[in-house]
Amino acid sequence: MVVHRGMLRRIYDWCIDAAHKPYALWIMGAVAFAESSFFPVPPDVMLIPMSLARPQRAWLYAVICTATSVVGGMLGYAIGALLYDSVGHWLIQFYGLGGKVEAFRASYAEWGAWIIILKGLTPIPYKLVTITSGFAGYNIWLFVVCSIIARGGRFFVVAILLNRYGEWIRVRIEKHLGLWVALGAAILVLGFVVAIRMV
């Protein structure tokens, strides 16, 4: 357990220090991009520590996460739309959604915008939304607009909180870092389970 705590502390400290380095923006953008289509780790692992280190730049970080997440979401959409028979089908089976494809397509026909916005705001893995939007044949431009609303809403809520209450939040996170990381992981797992059950 001590090793895990030390590792968590090193990762956290690296993200805090990285806030003052220009390459950190590129890394955070790359994580946000990849998470929207195939990568399991959300950009919050960098967005939160970097915003805590430099609260005045939380807005910039939110803009970068939003923009790159939406572009990455377009890749996820393309996987669902163009590669469903290979990559898309494998991912759908991997996430346990194989028997629910047609029902999901029907839901998108009626509730597509709300599905994208509401699920994009939650801890549900966004790649499920992007790939599903593609194989459901949802309108690409409406998908982009809904993604901007959903991802922007999520990341800017974080930016507002950390910009305004950053120091207060930072003290509490650093005091119980392991607890907050475990809680974050539990929320991600819960989001995935909810995503499966909601389909």
Side-chain angles (χ1 to χ4, degrees):
M1 191 62 155
V2 174
V3 174
H4 292 307
R5 286 178 181 169
M7 186 183 303
L8 288 175
R9 173 57 66 178
R10 284 195 295 275
I11 294 171
Y12 175 82
D13 289 341
W14 182 88
C15 289
I16 290 286
D17 293 338
H20 302 280
K21 308 279 196 312
Y23 63 77
L25 295 178
W26 292 95
I27 296 174
M28 184 173 62
V31 171
F33 173 87
E35 187 268 340
S36 293
S37 51
F38 59 88
F39 194 56
V41 179
D44 306 75
V45 298
M46 291 191 70
L47 173 62
I48 292 173
M50 287 173 60
S51 296
L52 289 173
R54 304 184 72 178
Q56 73 280 7
R57 301 196 79 191
W59 309 109
L60 172 63
Y61 302 150
V63 168
I64 291 171
C65 283
T66 300
T68 52
S69 181
V70 170
V71 174
M74 294 173 73
L75 173 60
Y77 183 100
I79 290 173
L82 305 175
L83 302 174
Y84 177 72
D85 290 336
S86 54
V87 179
H89 180 73
W90 178 82
L91 285 168
I92 294 304
Q93 294 297 327
F94 179 78
Y95 289 120
L97 302 174
K100 304 175 181 178
V101 172
E102 291 305 322
F104 215 57
R105 282 180 175 161
S107 298
Y108 259 68
E110 187 173 0
W111 305 103
W114 289 111
I115 290 172
I116 295 169
I117 292 172
L118 293 177
K119 290 192 176 185
L121 286 168
T122 67
I124 290 171
Y126 192 54
K127 63 189 68 60
L128 297 181
V129 176
T130 64
I131 294 171
T132 301
S133 297
F135 73 70
Y138 193 71
N139 181 284
I140 179 64
W141 302 114
L142 192 51
F143 165 77
V144 170
V145 170
C146 292
S147 293
I148 292 171
I149 294 170
R151 302 310 271 172
R154 175 179 166 183
F155 296 131
F156 275 93
V157 164
V158 173
I160 290 169
L161 291 174
L162 297 181
N163 178 266
R164 185 167 297 181
Y165 307 109
E167 193 55 43
W168 185 88
I169 294 172
R170 182 173 180 173
V171 169
R172 279 144 188 83
I173 286 178
E174 292 183 353
K175 187 175 181 181
H176 303 287
L177 184 60
L179 172 65
W180 288 108
V181 170
L183 183 61
I187 290 172
L188 285 175
V189 171
L190 179 62
F192 177 77
V193 171
V194 170
I196 299 298
R197 294 184 179 276
M198 285 177 64
V199 176

